[in-house]
Structures are given as C-alpha cells and as structure tokens.
Amino acid sequence: MATTILGMPPVALDKFPTRSSSFEKQKSMLNSLKHKLSRKESKDNASPPRSMGSKQSATVHPQGNNAPATRRPSRPNSNPFRDPGDAPPAYSPAPYSAPMLAPPTIAVTPAANQGADDPYAFLFSFDTVFLIDDSGSMAGSRWRETADALETITPICTAHDADGIDIYFLNHPDSSFHHNVSSSATVREIFQTVRPGGGTPTGQRLNQIMKPYLRKLEANPETTKPMNIICITDGEPSDDVESPLIAAAKKLDKLDAPAWQIGVQFFQVGRDEEAKRHLKQLDDELADISGDDDLRDIVDTVPFTGAEGTHLSGDGILKVVLGAVNRRLDRKKSKDLHR
C-alpha cells in the first residue's frame, strides 16, 4: 500500500515499523541480554575463587614475590615465622650506598596505609637493633653520615612497628634512652651526646646483645620476634668477634629456630682494606672457622664499594637487611635439599 504526500513521491507505509514490531524487537534484545548474563554467572560459579593460601603455596622462592605481604601476627610480640614453610616477605636487595650530595630522604608510609606494595612491611615482623662503632676513627664525616642514615630509618621503622629501634654503641654505656627510639629528633640528640673515642670491641658488645635475647627465645619461642642486628663500623674489630657469632649460631640450631631468627649485617663505612677483608671473612668463612660445615649462616657483610661523594643510605640499609633474610632462607632450603 502506498500513499502520496503533497510535494513528495509515493511512500509505502508498510516500510515503517509498527509499534508492535518495535516492542517485539526490544523484547528480543532483553531476552538475549538475560541469556548472556546467565552464561557469565554460570561460568563464575564454576571457577572457585583463588585463596591467599593457594597463591602463597605456588611461590617457590621467597624473592619471586615482588609485593611483600603485610599479614600481622595474632599477638603483638609473637614470632610470625615459627612455621618453617612461612617465609618472610620478599624484596629485591640493593647496594647500600648510592651517590648523593645530601643526606638521603625517604617518604614514610603511615602504618594505617600499609599495602601490598609497601617495601617496608617486613619491619613489622622483626626487632631492629643498631650497633654503632663509636671508636675514635668514626669522628667527623663518618659519624655524621651514620647519624643521617639512622635519622632516615627511624620513622620508617616506627611507622611499621611501634617498638621503634634500639641503639647500642661499642664503647658508650648502654642507656634506656637508647631503646625503643621512635623519632629522628631522639636519634639526633643521641648522636650529639655520644662522642666517638676508644677501640672496637665488636665481639664483646654483640655477645651482650645476643645472649639475653637467646635466653628469652629459649624461654618463649612462640612470642619472641626475630631480630636483625645492623652493625655500622669503619674498622676491624679489636677483639674476638667470631666466638660469639659461632656460639649464637649453634644455640639457634639447638633451639631449632627459623633461619632468619637472628641476622647480623655488617655495614662498612670508610675504605679500610683490612677491615673489609676481616668483615668479609665473617660472612664467608665462619663455618670453616668453627669447624662445622653445617653451621647456620647468620652474618652478611656489605663492604664500602662506592665512589667519592657517596653516603650510607637508610633506604639501602633496609633493602639489604631484607635481602639478607631471604638469602639465609634460600641457603637453608638449599642445604635441606642436599641432605
């Protein structure tokens, strides 16, 4: 059927869609959409959700996961790593020194905003202890450099662990004011009060730190957090440092403690070649010195390798500490596989 409108050619009315055909078309589209949604829902129900446990079990090497975990222990001071299969969060290690013209600065992540991409989340799981060489040779730029690094590290540690950090010196008497330090201002005050002078009794001071800790661990293994001792020094120890390290490693083996329960990281400042050689020996040859090939490795050494104008970096220190934890875990796994 066609009709003529004035001034226009004849138009077939049946070419225009009727109200009924338009309704049928909309109905057909709705049915198609409902069918697609139904198929998607069936597909989602058929695939069970991935659990955190399955994701962790698929991670063979702790350094393969670039996003550190932020799981917290159920008790405030509990040891989160009592299960031998529960590895600490992984993070790629980096050299401790980096070229810069001023003391390093790092943006601190508040504890309330911790996330999977927080590189410092591992600090919650460890007590952080600094042993500072305050011998006479540390006076001047080395003393200021060390103070700057600790001023940078302290708020980062506090943002992840309300315990703060503990600071010990080789010669200066211990003080409660040096424990649970939580602000850069306190670090600055401590370093302005302590004056470098004396020898380098590293072994004696390490023993005084580790022995009480080991007694605490033996009495309360489930609630004693792992500890990282970060020793910043510029010289060769003037006493026997090997014996307390060997004794601590043997005690940890006797207690069947996790591989990362105690870690001692030596950071060298300055260019003393004899100090560099001796510190590397502590890292590489402690098992040979002890006569026990199976002695656990609790020592890592970072010798000074930077060029003129480089500074001890707080950021680098924390990365190396976590890298050392994961290397000890890796070496333990390697030993277990070859037994």
Side-chain angles (χ1 to χ4, degrees):
M1 177 180 177
T3 185
T4 302
I5 299 176
L6 185 62
M8 295 181 62
V11 179
L13 294 181
D14 57 1
K15 298 297 183 180
F16 290 92
T18 65
R19 182 177 180 180
S20 174
S21 64
S22 176
F23 175 77
E24 290 298 329
K25 184 176 181 180
Q26 291 175 7
K27 182 177 179 181
S28 175
M29 290 173 64
L30 286 173
N31 287 337
S32 176
L33 180 60
K34 286 172 64 178
H35 179 65
K36 289 180 179 178
L37 289 174
S38 175
R39 288 178 58 193
K40 183 178 186 301
E41 183 178 359
S42 299
K43 184 177 180 180
D44 290 343
N45 290 335
S47 302
R50 294 173 60 190
S51 66
M52 184 174 292
S54 64
K55 182 178 181 180
Q56 291 176 340
S57 63
T59 305
V60 178
H61 191 288
Q63 290 182 336
N65 179 11
N66 292 324
T70 55
R71 175 176 60 82
R72 299 189 173 200
S74 57
R75 295 182 296 277
N77 294 317
S78 63
N79 182 348
F81 299 138
R82 291 305 302 174
D83 183 355
D86 188 8
Y91 192 77
S92 301
Y96 85 89
S97 57
M100 53 181 65
L101 300 177
T105 57
I106 300 174
V108 178
T109 305
N113 295 332
Q114 290 181 25
D117 58 346
D118 181 2
Y120 305 114
F122 80 98
L123 289 169
F124 183 86
S125 303
F126 293 87
D127 282 332
T128 305
V129 175
F130 284 90
L131 178 57
I132 307 300
D133 182 354
D134 59 345
S135 61
S137 60
M138 285 288 291
S141 61
R142 295 175 185 177
W143 192 249
R144 291 191 298 271
E145 183 179 337
T146 302
D148 288 340
L150 262 67
E151 284 185 41
T152 301
I153 286 172
T154 300
I156 298 173
C157 292
T158 304
H160 298 80
D161 182 3
D163 291 345
I165 64 173
D166 294 337
I167 302 175
Y168 294 85
F169 295 93
L170 295 186
N171 297 288
H172 194 275
D174 192 19
S175 167
S176 59
F177 183 59
H178 301 168
H179 294 182
N180 304 115
V181 177
S182 59
S183 74
S184 298
T186 303
V187 173
R188 192 177 308 114
E189 185 177 349
I190 291 172
F191 273 79
Q192 288 173 349
T193 303
V194 177
R195 299 298 181 189
T200 317
T202 310
Q204 177 183 337
R205 293 299 274 160
L206 279 173
N207 195 46
Q208 291 171 353
I209 295 170
M210 291 190 296
K211 283 190 75 173
Y213 175 84
L214 288 168
R215 287 195 295 267
K216 178 183 175 183
L217 176 64
E218 186 171 17
N220 303 287
E222 298 297 331
T223 58
T224 303
K225 290 170 69 175
M227 176 175 65
N228 277 313
I229 303 173
I230 302 167
C231 181
I232 299 177
T233 181
D234 73 337
E236 183 179 359
S238 58
D239 63 352
D240 175 14
V241 70
E242 289 87 356
S243 293
L245 290 170
I246 291 170
K250 289 184 175 181
K251 183 68 173 179
L252 290 168
D253 280 336
K254 183 178 179 181
L255 297 175
D256 196 26
W260 49 84
Q261 188 73 48
I262 292 181
V264 183
Q265 285 87 39
F266 289 97
F267 286 81
Q268 183 190 2
V269 291
R271 299 175 176 276
D272 189 314
E273 286 298 321
E274 197 61 26
K276 178 179 178 180
R277 182 196 63 78
H278 191 217
L279 293 176
K280 284 297 292 177
Q281 187 179 48
L282 294 176
D283 188 354
D284 300 334
E285 302 176 22
L286 202 60
D288 293 337
I289 295 171
S290 71
D292 180 3
D293 291 339
D294 291 328
L295 184 77
R296 71 166 57 200
D297 188 354
I298 65 172
V299 176
D300 284 270
T301 296
V302 182
F304 183 87
T305 57
E308 290 292 342
T310 61
H311 289 257
L312 191 70
S313 161
D315 181 37
I317 287 175
L318 294 180
K319 289 177 181 178
V320 168
V321 169
L322 181 55
V325 170
N326 283 315
R327 283 194 298 275
R328 285 196 295 276
L329 176 63
D330 193 39
R331 286 193 286 262
K332 182 180 185 300
K333 284 185 176 180
S334 179
K335 275 187 177 181
D336 292 344
L337 287 174
H338 288 86
R339 282 180 178 176

